[in-house]
Amino acid sequence: MMFLSPTRGSVALEEMVKILHDFVQEDQEASYKLVIGTDSHTTRRSTTLVTAVIIHRIGKGARFFYRKRTSRPLFDLRTRIYRETELSLELVELLNRSGMSDLTSQWPLEIHIDIGQQGETKVLIQEICGWVTSVGYEARIKPMSFGASSVADRFAE
């Protein structure tokens, strides 16, 4: 499985995990937050889904990677939001199995969801956030969901 980094280019999952660990080792006194968020863009022909992995050194920068995939068009908003959330949660589990469990247990892990109090997605807040918190993670929605609504969104078109 490959991820893209604006500074490192294409990297394998194992290399990404090592880079994230190295970033934490550079400043062990700092506080960190792990963020995973997915956003999508649908056209008549397909839906592009982008999942971002961000490690934020609070007040001192961040590193991020993203993975892009294409599927059949997902026109239904509910279906698209569920798929975005599912991809974020799947990636957390994959990262935990790939050597990130020490970081995910030590630092806060947030799942950023591209929904908010404004617009059509507000009806999904309770059920999507309930899903994420029921599996043990913090859910963040707009305007606090930068992992999905800014980072992943930037690469989804």
Side-chain angles (χ1 to χ4, degrees), residues 99-134:
M100 286 271 301
S101 58
D102 59 331
L103 294 181
T104 58
S105 64
Q106 183 178 4
W107 302 109
L109 174 64
E110 298 177 355
I111 303 296
H112 286 199
I113 309 158
D114 194 30
I115 59 177
Q117 296 290 344
Q118 308 297 317
E120 300 173 59
T121 60
K122 67 182 171 187
V123 299
L124 299 171
I125 292 172
Q126 187 173 358
E127 61 191 275
I128 297 292
C129 290
W131 177 21
V132 170
T133 56
S134 74

Side-chain angles (χ1 to χ4, degrees), residues 54-118:
I54 304 146
I55 187 159
H56 181 202
R57 186 182 290 151
I58 309 298
K60 299 179 183 178
R63 297 284 185 273
F64 78 92
F65 299 83
Y66 66 94
R67 180 173 185 225
K68 187 182 281 196
R69 58 172 60 166
T70 305
S71 77
R72 63 176 174 74
L74 301 172
F75 295 114
D76 179 64
L77 180 63
R78 177 181 298 273
T79 302
R80 203 165 59 244
I81 296 298
Y82 264 88
R83 183 67 179 135
E84 291 173 10
T85 306
E86 178 183 36
L87 289 174
S88 292
L89 292 172
E90 284 176 358
L91 184 55
V92 173
E93 295 309 311
L94 182 62
L95 289 171
N96 282 332
R97 290 192 309 266
S98 300
M100 286 271 301
S101 58
D102 59 331
L103 294 181
T104 58
S105 64
Q106 183 178 4
W107 302 109
L109 174 64
E110 298 177 355
I111 303 296
H112 286 199
I113 309 158
D114 194 30
I115 59 177
Q117 296 290 344
Q118 308 297 317

Side-chain angles (χ1 to χ4, degrees), residues 1-3 5 8 11-25 34 36 53 55 63-65 91-104:
M1 178 178 301
M2 300 302 286
F3 289 84
S5 162
R8 305 269 183 139
V11 298
L13 173 67
E14 297 78 17
E15 185 178 353
M16 179 184 73
V17 169
K18 181 183 179 332
I19 292 167
L20 295 174
H21 274 99
D22 291 347
F23 183 67
V24 170
Q25 291 301 315
L34 296 164
I36 296 179
V53 177
I55 187 159
R63 297 284 185 273
F64 78 92
F65 299 83
L91 184 55
V92 173
E93 295 309 311
L94 182 62
L95 289 171
N96 282 332
R97 290 192 309 266
S98 300
M100 286 271 301
S101 58
D102 59 331
L103 294 181
T104 58

Side-chain angles (χ1 to χ4, degrees), residues 14-48:
E14 297 78 17
E15 185 178 353
M16 179 184 73
V17 169
K18 181 183 179 332
I19 292 167
L20 295 174
H21 274 99
D22 291 347
F23 183 67
V24 170
Q25 291 301 315
E26 288 172 9
D27 187 354
Q28 296 179 32
E29 301 301 315
S31 294
Y32 295 87
K33 175 172 40 175
L34 296 164
V35 172
I36 296 179
T38 303
D39 196 15
S40 62
H41 179 74
T42 298
T43 65
R44 284 183 289 147
R45 299 182 129 177
S46 65
T47 295
T48 301

Side-chain angles (χ1 to χ4, degrees), residues 131-144:
W131 177 21
V132 170
T133 56
S134 74
V135 293
Y137 304 110
E138 292 182 44
R140 293 285 184 259
I141 63 169
K142 291 178 185 177
M144 303 302 292

